[in-house]
Amino acid sequence: MGKRILIVDDSSMMRKMIAKILQPEGHTIIGEAKNGLEAIDLYKSLQPDIVTMDITMRDMDGLEAAKEIFSFDDSAQIIFLSNLDEEKYREEVERLGALGFANKHKAKEILDIINR
Amino acid sequence: MRAKVEMNKQDNCKQNLKKKAMLFFSLSIPLSLLIIGSMLYASQGQSDKGLWVALFAAVLLLVTLVLGSLFFQRSIVVPLQELCSTVQRISNGEFDNPVQIRTMDEIGQVGESVNDLVINVQEILLYAWNHTHKNFTPLKELPADPSLLKNEIAKIYRENENMKEFLLTFTYFEVKLEHEKMVSDTLDDSNADNS
Ligand SMILES: [Mg+2]
């Protein structure tokens, strides 16, 4: 079933690419944020089913934003999507309570994580 | 040599703007003096009150000009100089210093767009870095067993397919990526066939 998704990434090009992966699978992009602060605001106002979260962003990074989102909604469904090394950050991300971690290099893995 | 040329360019870009601003304000000073002079002349032979009004108007005009020039300097000349040198650093491949956004006027908006562009360029470069790394790892540890070898080659194949898909997401300047080839968008096909 199609999900309502919030895309968080500081790169406009990446946001476009992620949308291109998700939309053909029947998911709806209900919002896009370019840093952690915007992500928190949009999460509160849009209540998305799923968030795809970049890690490296200016202003507020993705890990911090996820912590903040989990602090008021511990059932938030957050998938991290980053260029950073998977082995090094997967553990931290899972400890936070995220749904999963995909490297941007294999961005299509977010579809598997959503369907899991 | 190249570094020197870049330096000169940067200096030029700074001074041109300053020169124009100076020219504009130095032209406005004789203009204001002319106005003041004519006001004083017009008020000659009139009452003291008329003289005071003319002087007050003259002072007001000068103060306005000075404040105007300060405002112009602070809100346009200085931010543009900053933008200019940051953009030049960026075009040399230094991405670690973003444009500082102070106001959301047109200059601020250009700065935001430049920052966005830098983030996108960096994203592509990091993607390429991950790509080479992901291909190197299996190559470095090629197993002797032929059946395992097939597995590793399949991994490299998939990585390359990911990269290809990523590169196909964009539209390009002057070139098109089609049928496994990079073709010119501007040269016509008959030309390419003849050569
Ligand atoms: Mg990023």
Side-chain angles (χ1 to χ4, degrees), chain B residues 34-88:
Chain B
L34 195 72
I35 295 171
I36 292 164
S38 59
M39 280 173 113
L40 287 174
Y41 181 76
S43 66
Q44 255 179 6
Q46 287 182 16
S47 62
D48 274 3
K49 198 178 155 198
L51 189 69
W52 284 118
V53 169
L55 269 176
F56 177 72
V59 169
L60 198 68
L61 186 66
L62 269 175
V63 168
T64 311
L65 270 173
V66 168
L67 286 181
S69 75
L70 281 177
F71 179 75
F72 183 77
Q73 173 84 7
R74 282 181 57 116
S75 65
I76 296 171
V77 178
V78 172
L80 265 180
Q81 278 174 352
E82 267 182 32
L83 184 65
C84 184
S85 49
T86 310
V87 168
Q88 263 165 15

Short mmCIF file of all heavy atoms in Angstrom, two decimals, chain B residues 34-88:
data_model
loop_
_atom_site.label_atom_id
_atom_site.label_comp_id
_atom_site.label_asym_id
_atom_site.label_seq_id
_atom_site.Cartn_x
_atom_site.Cartn_y
_atom_site.Cartn_z
N LEU B 34 25.11 71.91 -6.01
CA LEU B 34 24.42 72.75 -6.97
C LEU B 34 23.02 73.11 -6.45
O LEU B 34 22.59 74.27 -6.46
CB LEU B 34 24.30 72.00 -8.30
CG LEU B 34 23.93 72.84 -9.52
CD1 LEU B 34 25.10 73.71 -9.92
CD2 LEU B 34 23.50 71.95 -10.68
N ILE B 35 22.34 72.09 -5.92
CA ILE B 35 21.00 72.32 -5.40
C ILE B 35 21.04 73.27 -4.20
O ILE B 35 20.26 74.21 -4.09
CB ILE B 35 20.34 70.98 -5.01
CG1 ILE B 35 20.14 70.12 -6.27
CG2 ILE B 35 18.99 71.21 -4.32
CD1 ILE B 35 19.71 68.72 -5.99
N ILE B 36 22.02 73.00 -3.30
CA ILE B 36 22.15 73.86 -2.13
C ILE B 36 22.42 75.31 -2.54
O ILE B 36 21.78 76.26 -2.06
CB ILE B 36 23.31 73.35 -1.21
CG1 ILE B 36 22.92 72.01 -0.59
CG2 ILE B 36 23.63 74.36 -0.13
CD1 ILE B 36 24.10 71.27 0.00
N GLY B 37 23.36 75.45 -3.50
CA GLY B 37 23.71 76.79 -3.98
C GLY B 37 22.51 77.52 -4.54
O GLY B 37 22.25 78.69 -4.20
N SER B 38 21.74 76.80 -5.35
CA SER B 38 20.59 77.47 -5.97
C SER B 38 19.52 77.82 -4.94
O SER B 38 18.84 78.84 -5.05
CB SER B 38 20.02 76.60 -7.09
OG SER B 38 19.61 75.36 -6.57
N MET B 39 19.42 76.98 -3.90
CA MET B 39 18.46 77.28 -2.85
C MET B 39 18.87 78.54 -2.08
O MET B 39 18.04 79.40 -1.77
CB MET B 39 18.34 76.11 -1.88
CG MET B 39 17.46 74.98 -2.41
SD MET B 39 17.55 73.59 -1.31
CE MET B 39 15.89 73.60 -0.71
N LEU B 40 20.18 78.60 -1.78
CA LEU B 40 20.68 79.78 -1.06
C LEU B 40 20.48 81.04 -1.90
O LEU B 40 20.07 82.09 -1.41
CB LEU B 40 22.17 79.59 -0.72
CG LEU B 40 22.45 78.59 0.39
CD1 LEU B 40 23.96 78.37 0.55
CD2 LEU B 40 21.83 79.06 1.71
N TYR B 41 20.75 80.89 -3.21
CA TYR B 41 20.59 82.02 -4.12
C TYR B 41 19.13 82.48 -4.15
O TYR B 41 18.83 83.67 -4.06
CB TYR B 41 21.06 81.60 -5.52
CG TYR B 41 20.97 82.71 -6.53
CD1 TYR B 41 21.90 83.76 -6.54
CD2 TYR B 41 19.93 82.71 -7.47
CE1 TYR B 41 21.79 84.77 -7.46
CE2 TYR B 41 19.83 83.73 -8.41
CZ TYR B 41 20.77 84.75 -8.39
OH TYR B 41 20.67 85.75 -9.31
N ALA B 42 18.23 81.51 -4.22
CA ALA B 42 16.80 81.83 -4.29
C ALA B 42 16.32 82.50 -3.02
O ALA B 42 15.41 83.32 -3.03
CB ALA B 42 16.00 80.56 -4.55
N SER B 43 16.96 82.13 -1.89
CA SER B 43 16.48 82.68 -0.62
C SER B 43 17.10 84.05 -0.30
O SER B 43 16.80 84.65 0.72
CB SER B 43 16.79 81.70 0.52
OG SER B 43 18.19 81.60 0.67
N GLN B 44 18.00 84.52 -1.19
CA GLN B 44 18.65 85.82 -0.97
C GLN B 44 17.61 86.94 -0.94
O GLN B 44 16.66 86.93 -1.71
CB GLN B 44 19.65 86.10 -2.09
CG GLN B 44 21.08 85.91 -1.63
CD GLN B 44 22.05 86.17 -2.76
OE1 GLN B 44 21.62 86.60 -3.84
NE2 GLN B 44 23.31 85.93 -2.51
N GLY B 45 17.84 87.89 -0.05
CA GLY B 45 16.95 89.04 0.02
C GLY B 45 15.63 88.72 0.69
O GLY B 45 14.78 89.58 0.85
N GLN B 46 15.44 87.46 1.02
CA GLN B 46 14.21 87.12 1.74
C GLN B 46 14.47 87.22 3.23
O GLN B 46 15.56 87.55 3.68
CB GLN B 46 13.77 85.70 1.38
CG GLN B 46 13.19 85.61 -0.03
CD GLN B 46 12.72 84.22 -0.34
OE1 GLN B 46 12.56 83.42 0.57
NE2 GLN B 46 12.51 83.96 -1.61
N SER B 47 13.46 86.86 3.99
CA SER B 47 13.59 86.93 5.45
C SER B 47 14.60 85.90 5.95
O SER B 47 14.97 84.99 5.22
CB SER B 47 12.23 86.63 6.08
OG SER B 47 11.85 85.32 5.72
N ASP B 48 15.03 86.08 7.22
CA ASP B 48 15.93 85.11 7.85
C ASP B 48 15.33 83.72 7.84
O ASP B 48 16.03 82.73 7.69
CB ASP B 48 16.18 85.52 9.31
CG ASP B 48 17.35 86.51 9.37
OD1 ASP B 48 17.85 86.86 8.27
OD2 ASP B 48 17.72 86.93 10.48
N LYS B 49 14.00 83.70 8.00
CA LYS B 49 13.31 82.41 8.08
C LYS B 49 13.55 81.59 6.81
O LYS B 49 13.85 80.40 6.87
CB LYS B 49 11.82 82.67 8.28
CG LYS B 49 11.06 81.45 8.80
CD LYS B 49 9.60 81.81 9.04
CE LYS B 49 8.74 80.58 8.96
NZ LYS B 49 7.34 80.94 8.75
N GLY B 50 13.46 82.29 5.69
CA GLY B 50 13.68 81.61 4.41
C GLY B 50 15.08 81.02 4.33
O GLY B 50 15.26 79.88 3.87
N LEU B 51 16.07 81.76 4.84
CA LEU B 51 17.45 81.29 4.83
C LEU B 51 17.59 80.01 5.65
O LEU B 51 18.24 79.05 5.25
CB LEU B 51 18.35 82.39 5.38
CG LEU B 51 19.86 82.13 5.24
CD1 LEU B 51 20.27 82.18 3.78
CD2 LEU B 51 20.63 83.14 6.08
N TRP B 52 16.97 80.03 6.84
CA TRP B 52 17.06 78.85 7.73
C TRP B 52 16.43 77.63 7.09
O TRP B 52 16.97 76.54 7.16
CB TRP B 52 16.41 79.15 9.09
CG TRP B 52 17.29 79.99 9.97
CD1 TRP B 52 17.02 81.23 10.44
CD2 TRP B 52 18.61 79.64 10.43
NE1 TRP B 52 18.07 81.72 11.17
CE2 TRP B 52 19.07 80.76 11.19
CE3 TRP B 52 19.44 78.54 10.29
CZ2 TRP B 52 20.32 80.77 11.79
CZ3 TRP B 52 20.68 78.55 10.89
CH2 TRP B 52 21.11 79.65 11.64
N VAL B 53 15.27 77.87 6.45
CA VAL B 53 14.59 76.74 5.78
C VAL B 53 15.50 76.16 4.70
O VAL B 53 15.67 74.94 4.59
CB VAL B 53 13.24 77.19 5.17
CG1 VAL B 53 12.67 76.11 4.26
CG2 VAL B 53 12.25 77.50 6.28
N ALA B 54 16.15 77.05 3.94
CA ALA B 54 17.03 76.59 2.87
C ALA B 54 18.22 75.81 3.43
O ALA B 54 18.58 74.74 2.93
CB ALA B 54 17.52 77.77 2.06
N LEU B 55 18.81 76.33 4.54
CA LEU B 55 19.95 75.63 5.16
C LEU B 55 19.54 74.27 5.70
O LEU B 55 20.23 73.27 5.52
CB LEU B 55 20.52 76.48 6.30
CG LEU B 55 21.65 77.42 5.86
CD1 LEU B 55 22.08 78.29 7.04
CD2 LEU B 55 22.84 76.64 5.32
N PHE B 56 18.36 74.26 6.33
CA PHE B 56 17.85 73.00 6.89
C PHE B 56 17.68 71.97 5.78
O PHE B 56 18.11 70.82 5.89
CB PHE B 56 16.52 73.25 7.60
CG PHE B 56 15.90 71.99 8.14
CD1 PHE B 56 16.45 71.36 9.25
CD2 PHE B 56 14.79 71.44 7.52
CE1 PHE B 56 15.89 70.20 9.74
CE2 PHE B 56 14.23 70.27 8.01
CZ PHE B 56 14.78 69.66 9.13
N ALA B 57 17.09 72.42 4.66
CA ALA B 57 16.88 71.52 3.52
C ALA B 57 18.22 71.01 3.00
O ALA B 57 18.37 69.83 2.66
CB ALA B 57 16.11 72.23 2.42
N ALA B 58 19.21 71.91 2.96
CA ALA B 58 20.52 71.53 2.45
C ALA B 58 21.18 70.48 3.33
O ALA B 58 21.70 69.48 2.85
CB ALA B 58 21.41 72.77 2.38
N VAL B 59 21.11 70.69 4.65
CA VAL B 59 21.69 69.72 5.59
C VAL B 59 20.98 68.39 5.47
O VAL B 59 21.60 67.32 5.43
CB VAL B 59 21.63 70.26 7.04
CG1 VAL B 59 21.98 69.17 8.04
CG2 VAL B 59 22.58 71.45 7.20
N LEU B 60 19.66 68.45 5.39
CA LEU B 60 18.86 67.23 5.25
C LEU B 60 19.29 66.45 4.02
O LEU B 60 19.46 65.22 4.05
CB LEU B 60 17.38 67.61 5.14
CG LEU B 60 16.40 66.49 5.41
CD1 LEU B 60 16.44 66.09 6.88
CD2 LEU B 60 14.99 66.90 5.01
N LEU B 61 19.50 67.16 2.92
CA LEU B 61 19.91 66.54 1.66
C LEU B 61 21.25 65.83 1.82
O LEU B 61 21.42 64.67 1.42
CB LEU B 61 20.00 67.60 0.56
CG LEU B 61 20.28 67.09 -0.84
CD1 LEU B 61 19.11 66.25 -1.34
CD2 LEU B 61 20.55 68.24 -1.79
N LEU B 62 22.21 66.53 2.49
CA LEU B 62 23.54 65.93 2.67
C LEU B 62 23.47 64.69 3.56
O LEU B 62 24.06 63.66 3.25
CB LEU B 62 24.48 66.96 3.30
CG LEU B 62 25.27 67.80 2.28
CD1 LEU B 62 26.09 68.87 2.99
CD2 LEU B 62 26.19 66.91 1.45
N VAL B 63 22.70 64.82 4.66
CA VAL B 63 22.58 63.68 5.58
C VAL B 63 21.97 62.49 4.85
O VAL B 63 22.43 61.35 4.97
CB VAL B 63 21.74 64.08 6.82
CG1 VAL B 63 21.36 62.84 7.63
CG2 VAL B 63 22.52 65.06 7.68
N THR B 64 20.92 62.75 4.06
CA THR B 64 20.26 61.68 3.31
C THR B 64 21.24 61.00 2.37
O THR B 64 21.28 59.77 2.28
CB THR B 64 19.09 62.25 2.48
OG1 THR B 64 18.30 63.07 3.33
CG2 THR B 64 18.25 61.14 1.89
N LEU B 65 22.08 61.81 1.71
CA LEU B 65 23.05 61.24 0.78
C LEU B 65 24.07 60.37 1.49
O LEU B 65 24.38 59.27 1.03
CB LEU B 65 23.77 62.37 0.04
CG LEU B 65 23.10 62.81 -1.25
CD1 LEU B 65 23.79 64.05 -1.81
CD2 LEU B 65 23.14 61.69 -2.28
N VAL B 66 24.54 60.87 2.64
CA VAL B 66 25.54 60.08 3.38
C VAL B 66 24.93 58.78 3.88
O VAL B 66 25.50 57.70 3.71
CB VAL B 66 26.11 60.91 4.56
CG1 VAL B 66 26.92 60.01 5.49
CG2 VAL B 66 26.96 62.05 4.04
N LEU B 67 23.72 58.88 4.45
CA LEU B 67 23.06 57.66 4.95
C LEU B 67 22.78 56.71 3.79
O LEU B 67 22.98 55.50 3.91
CB LEU B 67 21.75 58.02 5.66
CG LEU B 67 21.91 58.66 7.04
CD1 LEU B 67 20.55 58.95 7.66
CD2 LEU B 67 22.73 57.76 7.97
N GLY B 68 22.35 57.29 2.67
CA GLY B 68 22.07 56.47 1.48
C GLY B 68 23.30 55.72 1.03
O GLY B 68 23.25 54.53 0.72
N SER B 69 24.45 56.42 1.04
CA SER B 69 25.67 55.76 0.57
C SER B 69 26.10 54.67 1.54
O SER B 69 26.56 53.61 1.13
CB SER B 69 26.78 56.79 0.36
OG SER B 69 27.29 57.19 1.60
N LEU B 70 25.94 54.92 2.85
CA LEU B 70 26.28 53.90 3.84
C LEU B 70 25.40 52.67 3.67
O LEU B 70 25.86 51.53 3.70
CB LEU B 70 26.11 54.45 5.26
CG LEU B 70 27.24 55.33 5.76
CD1 LEU B 70 26.91 55.87 7.15
CD2 LEU B 70 28.54 54.54 5.81
N PHE B 71 24.11 52.92 3.45
CA PHE B 71 23.15 51.84 3.27
C PHE B 71 23.51 51.02 2.02
O PHE B 71 23.55 49.79 2.05
CB PHE B 71 21.74 52.42 3.13
CG PHE B 71 20.70 51.38 2.91
CD1 PHE B 71 20.27 50.56 3.95
CD2 PHE B 71 20.15 51.20 1.65
CE1 PHE B 71 19.32 49.59 3.74
CE2 PHE B 71 19.19 50.22 1.43
CZ PHE B 71 18.77 49.42 2.48
N PHE B 72 23.83 51.74 0.95
CA PHE B 72 24.20 51.08 -0.30
C PHE B 72 25.44 50.22 -0.09
O PHE B 72 25.51 49.07 -0.51
CB PHE B 72 24.46 52.16 -1.36
CG PHE B 72 24.78 51.61 -2.71
CD1 PHE B 72 23.77 51.11 -3.53
CD2 PHE B 72 26.09 51.59 -3.18
CE1 PHE B 72 24.07 50.60 -4.79
CE2 PHE B 72 26.38 51.09 -4.44
CZ PHE B 72 25.37 50.60 -5.24
N GLN B 73 26.42 50.79 0.61
CA GLN B 73 27.67 50.08 0.89
C GLN B 73 27.40 48.80 1.69
O GLN B 73 27.86 47.74 1.35
CB GLN B 73 28.60 51.03 1.66
CG GLN B 73 29.88 50.41 2.18
CD GLN B 73 30.96 50.38 1.12
OE1 GLN B 73 30.79 50.94 0.03
NE2 GLN B 73 32.05 49.69 1.41
N ARG B 74 26.60 48.96 2.76
CA ARG B 74 26.37 47.82 3.66
C ARG B 74 25.48 46.75 3.06
O ARG B 74 25.68 45.58 3.30
CB ARG B 74 25.75 48.31 4.97
CG ARG B 74 26.76 48.93 5.92
CD ARG B 74 26.02 49.34 7.17
NE ARG B 74 25.35 48.19 7.75
CZ ARG B 74 25.65 47.69 8.93
NH1 ARG B 74 26.59 48.24 9.65
NH2 ARG B 74 25.00 46.66 9.40
N SER B 75 24.45 47.21 2.32
CA SER B 75 23.45 46.22 1.91
C SER B 75 23.72 45.66 0.52
O SER B 75 23.19 44.61 0.17
CB SER B 75 22.05 46.83 1.95
OG SER B 75 21.97 47.86 0.99
N ILE B 76 24.55 46.31 -0.27
CA ILE B 76 24.82 45.80 -1.62
C ILE B 76 26.30 45.54 -1.87
O ILE B 76 26.68 44.43 -2.20
CB ILE B 76 24.24 46.76 -2.69
CG1 ILE B 76 22.72 46.79 -2.53
CG2 ILE B 76 24.61 46.28 -4.09
CD1 ILE B 76 22.03 47.82 -3.36
N VAL B 77 27.14 46.56 -1.67
CA VAL B 77 28.55 46.41 -2.04
C VAL B 77 29.22 45.30 -1.22
O VAL B 77 29.80 44.37 -1.78
CB VAL B 77 29.32 47.74 -1.90
CG1 VAL B 77 30.78 47.54 -2.24
CG2 VAL B 77 28.71 48.80 -2.80
N VAL B 78 29.12 45.38 0.10
CA VAL B 78 29.82 44.41 0.95
C VAL B 78 29.30 42.98 0.74
O VAL B 78 30.10 42.06 0.50
CB VAL B 78 29.75 44.83 2.44
CG1 VAL B 78 30.28 43.74 3.34
CG2 VAL B 78 30.53 46.12 2.64
N PRO B 79 27.95 42.75 0.79
CA PRO B 79 27.48 41.37 0.54
C PRO B 79 27.89 40.84 -0.84
O PRO B 79 28.25 39.68 -0.96
CB PRO B 79 25.96 41.48 0.62
CG PRO B 79 25.68 42.72 1.35
CD PRO B 79 26.83 43.63 1.13
N LEU B 80 27.88 41.70 -1.86
CA LEU B 80 28.27 41.24 -3.19
C LEU B 80 29.75 40.88 -3.25
O LEU B 80 30.13 39.91 -3.89
CB LEU B 80 27.96 42.31 -4.24
CG LEU B 80 26.62 42.16 -4.96
CD1 LEU B 80 26.43 43.27 -5.97
CD2 LEU B 80 26.51 40.81 -5.65
N GLN B 81 30.57 41.66 -2.53
CA GLN B 81 32.00 41.33 -2.48
C GLN B 81 32.22 39.97 -1.83
O GLN B 81 32.99 39.15 -2.30
CB GLN B 81 32.75 42.39 -1.67
CG GLN B 81 33.08 43.63 -2.47
CD GLN B 81 33.69 44.71 -1.60
OE1 GLN B 81 33.74 44.59 -0.38
NE2 GLN B 81 34.13 45.77 -2.23
N GLU B 82 31.48 39.74 -0.73
CA GLU B 82 31.59 38.45 -0.04
C GLU B 82 31.18 37.31 -0.95
O GLU B 82 31.88 36.30 -1.07
CB GLU B 82 30.67 38.44 1.18
CG GLU B 82 31.35 38.89 2.45
CD GLU B 82 30.40 38.81 3.63
OE1 GLU B 82 29.51 37.92 3.64
OE2 GLU B 82 30.52 39.65 4.51
N LEU B 83 30.03 37.50 -1.60
CA LEU B 83 29.50 36.48 -2.51
C LEU B 83 30.52 36.19 -3.60
O LEU B 83 30.82 35.04 -3.92
CB LEU B 83 28.19 36.97 -3.12
CG LEU B 83 27.44 36.00 -4.02
CD1 LEU B 83 26.98 34.79 -3.22
CD2 LEU B 83 26.25 36.68 -4.67
N CYS B 84 31.09 37.27 -4.14
CA CYS B 84 32.05 37.16 -5.24
C CYS B 84 33.23 36.29 -4.83
O CYS B 84 33.60 35.36 -5.54
CB CYS B 84 32.49 38.56 -5.63
SG CYS B 84 33.58 38.62 -7.03
N SER B 85 33.83 36.57 -3.67
CA SER B 85 35.04 35.80 -3.34
C SER B 85 34.68 34.37 -2.94
O SER B 85 35.44 33.45 -3.22
CB SER B 85 35.86 36.50 -2.25
OG SER B 85 35.05 36.88 -1.20
N THR B 86 33.51 34.18 -2.29
CA THR B 86 33.12 32.81 -1.94
C THR B 86 32.88 31.98 -3.20
O THR B 86 33.35 30.85 -3.31
CB THR B 86 31.84 32.79 -1.08
OG1 THR B 86 32.00 33.72 -0.02
CG2 THR B 86 31.57 31.42 -0.51
N VAL B 87 32.18 32.56 -4.16
CA VAL B 87 31.88 31.82 -5.39
C VAL B 87 33.17 31.47 -6.12
O VAL B 87 33.31 30.39 -6.69
CB VAL B 87 30.93 32.63 -6.30
CG1 VAL B 87 30.85 32.03 -7.69
CG2 VAL B 87 29.55 32.68 -5.69
N GLN B 88 34.15 32.38 -6.07
CA GLN B 88 35.40 32.07 -6.74
C GLN B 88 36.14 30.93 -6.06
O GLN B 88 36.73 30.09 -6.73
CB GLN B 88 36.27 33.32 -6.81
CG GLN B 88 36.09 33.98 -8.17
CD GLN B 88 36.60 35.38 -8.22
OE1 GLN B 88 37.35 35.82 -7.35
NE2 GLN B 88 36.19 36.10 -9.23
#
